[in-house]
Amino acid sequence: MSITVFGSVNLDLTVSVHHLPIAGETSHAAGFQTGLGGKGANQAVAATRLAKCPVKFVAAVGEDSFADKLRADLQKMTVDTANLVTMKGAESGIALIHVDQSSQNSITVVGGANMAWPDAGPCADVFKGCKVALFQLETPIPATLAAMRAARAAGAVVILDPAPIAEGHMEALIAEADIVTPNETETAAITGTMPGNFLEAQTLAKSLVAMGPKVAIVKLGAKGLAYASRHDGEGVIKPYFVKAIDTVAAGDSFNGGLAAALAEGWSLQDALKFAAAAGALATTRRGAGEAVPSRQEVDDLVAAN
Ligand code: RIB
């Protein structure tokens, strides 16, 4: 039994700024940091730290010096790199990130090797014995769809974080998932409505379930989350109160935590509380992969609430 993450790995170039840049503005940054990122890599770090079963990470780097750093960073965080492939002639993925004083961020991704997967996706063998499979959208859509189908054929629960939004493909992607975990902006892009409160988020989660998945979770950031499901009812999970300084990778930590808890056979409610604690703790430290909390920290936060 294992968890498999198929997704991106990026070198994150992060600047801390007073406010997010506006068009035409030149400003000074208060700090600069490089680190391991990419929604796939962050989810893989989170699943590796939080799960009690083996975790496979299926991803691509380029033929450049960044590739060695990314591989080394993944290994330092004990992520299994056996399925990290090198795309010939490609450059490794990069993300340019601004984080402002109120911990909000804006991210621009240069996909590079992450976008070089063939339409057939990775070898279906990577999903053999997989109980939960995680996907996001920083990989090409045909390859991602093929991988989601391979995971489903292997008997895995398929979780899709629909980020970033892939215009024109969202219906097909959502129909292929068992669980979807959009944030507010992604929910608005998919359904046409921005959730204004818990009740609206729950209604929108129901409309996402109507598109095919068994469960839809609308992440509301510091406000918590709302969910709807075919078999486990609907509800909300209140937020954990933490001192947030950087929200990058909070959603990825949430998804890794969700996969870890579901792989252990937890109920949806308990899995959501665990995942929400993982996401909250990630906001209390800077960076992406480095910001993912340990199992002990998450267990402690859940127990204290
Ligand atoms: O979700 C956060 C991640 O988005 C960053 O690590 C960045 O690389 C982008 O992929």
Side-chain angles (χ1 to χ4, degrees):
M1 198 256 287
S2 59
I3 294 171
T4 300
V5 182
F6 173 62
S8 58
V9 54
N10 297 330
L11 181 69
D12 283 2
L13 307 174
T14 306
V15 286
S16 306
V17 289
H18 175 265
H19 57 270
L20 300 181
I22 54 169
E25 182 184 21
T26 302
S27 61
H28 284 287
F32 172 70
Q33 181 183 352
T34 62
L36 176 72
K39 294 185 196 306
N42 301 337
Q43 291 186 1
V45 173
T48 302
R49 285 194 183 156
L50 300 173
K52 292 190 172 155
C53 63
V55 175
K56 284 185 196 164
F57 181 39
V58 184
V61 290
E63 280 190 309
D64 55 8
S65 58
F66 290 163
D68 299 337
K69 176 168 170 46
L70 292 172
R71 189 181 294 274
D73 283 355
L74 285 165
Q75 287 168 351
K76 207 159 59 192
M77 294 184 201
T78 69
V79 174
D80 174 13
T81 53
N83 295 291
L84 188 65
V85 303
T86 300
M87 294 293 179
K88 288 226 168 312
E91 287 171 357
S92 297
I94 286 176
L96 306 171
I97 305 179
H98 287 82
V99 179
D100 75 10
Q101 280 191 331
S102 63
S103 80
Q104 298 307 302
N105 63 65
S106 78
I107 304 180
T108 307
V109 170
V110 187
N114 296 308
M115 295 303 287
W117 286 97
D119 287 358
C123 171
D125 282 358
V126 296
F127 297 106
K128 235 188 222 161
C130 168
K131 185 157 184 195
V132 183
L134 278 167
F135 301 88
Q136 342 71 40
L137 301 177
E138 291 179 337
T139 43
I141 302 309
T144 307
L145 277 169
M148 290 169 77
R149 287 180 189 129
R152 158 88 43 88
V157 172
V158 172
I159 303 179
L160 173 69
D161 183 0
I165 286 292
E167 292 294 348
H169 300 282
M170 294 317 298
E171 279 184 22
L173 286 156
I174 286 173
E176 210 58 57
D178 293 304
I179 301 177
V180 289
T181 63
N183 66 15
E184 289 161 292
T185 322
E186 291 142 10
T187 300
I190 299 164
T191 64
T193 308
M194 180 66 90
N197 54 40
F198 275 134
L199 201 63
E200 282 172 23
Q202 221 168 288
T203 305
L204 294 172
K206 275 193 257 180
S207 51
L208 288 166
V209 167
M211 292 169 73
K214 297 185 185 73
V215 178
I217 299 153
V218 176
K219 306 195 296 288
L220 301 168
K223 296 186 289 262
L225 64 87
Y227 68 92
S229 78
R230 270 180 215 280
H231 309 297
D232 296 300
E234 58 198 59
V236 299
I237 301 288
K238 294 277 169 56
Y240 293 91
F241 290 102
V242 293
K243 190 169 168 7
I245 57 166
D246 177 353
T247 56
V248 174
D252 305 329
S253 297
F254 174 92
N255 281 290
L258 182 63
L262 293 177
E264 280 175 43
W266 292 20
S267 70
L268 179 62
Q269 273 261 345
D270 287 345
L272 288 174
K273 284 183 193 155
F274 181 84
L281 286 165
T283 69
T284 63
R285 48 199 78 149
R286 295 198 189 283
E290 297 94 333
V292 174
S294 68
R295 174 76 189 230
Q296 190 62 54
E297 289 173 305
V298 178
D299 283 341
D300 288 350
L301 184 61
V302 174
N305 283 271

